[in-house]
Amino acid sequence: MVEQPVRAQVNHMKTFFWHLFIFLGGIVILLILNTLTGFDLLWFLWPAGVWSVLILLHATYAFVFTRAFVTERQEEKSTQVLAQETNVVEAAKETVAPELASK
């Protein structure tokens, strides 16, 4: 079903925003700790940089890759539904056409 991948995408987005919220809070805490221990050495930039790269990777996964997967699944499902509808129409034509020809 298409609903399951869509739910998965929504869950990935929710976890990304939680990750982003925790990231921002963590960076603020690290910045405060850095200023309390002395601002001459900006050590908080190292964890902030690494964490930023991880946030970007998470965003790419949550918004690009899962969306592509959901779109692909939706296209597959649409194709299946269209094929089923075409089969129903063809079956109806085969059933109705002989009846109309005999009248």
Side-chain angles (χ1 to χ4, degrees):
M1 298 289 275
V2 176
E3 294 82 20
Q4 291 174 343
V6 171
R7 282 190 187 137
Q9 181 185 9
V10 169
N11 286 336
H12 289 299
M13 290 174 155
K14 284 181 184 179
T15 57
F16 167 74
F17 285 117
W18 272 108
H19 189 183
L20 183 64
F21 177 72
I22 292 169
F23 163 75
L24 294 173
I27 295 304
V28 168
I29 290 170
L30 289 176
L31 178 61
I32 291 169
L33 287 174
N34 195 163
T35 56
L36 292 175
T37 59
F39 208 67
D40 49 328
L41 178 64
L42 298 175
W43 57 264
F44 87 97
L45 291 177
W46 288 102
V50 171
W51 207 350
S52 298
V53 169
L54 294 175
I55 285 285
L56 288 174
L57 290 173
H58 194 172
T60 302
Y61 178 75
F63 293 102
V64 176
F65 292 126
T66 56
R67 181 166 292 167
F69 178 71
V70 168
T71 303
E72 181 180 307
R73 288 293 303 252
Q74 287 173 337
E75 287 178 14
E76 289 175 10
K77 188 66 176 175
S78 298
T79 304
Q80 289 174 355
V81 168
L82 186 60
Q84 289 173 350
E85 289 176 357
T86 303
N87 290 340
V88 168
V89 169
E90 291 298 322
K93 283 182 183 177
E94 291 174 2
T95 305
V96 174
E99 292 176 7
L100 292 175
S102 64
K103 288 185 180 183

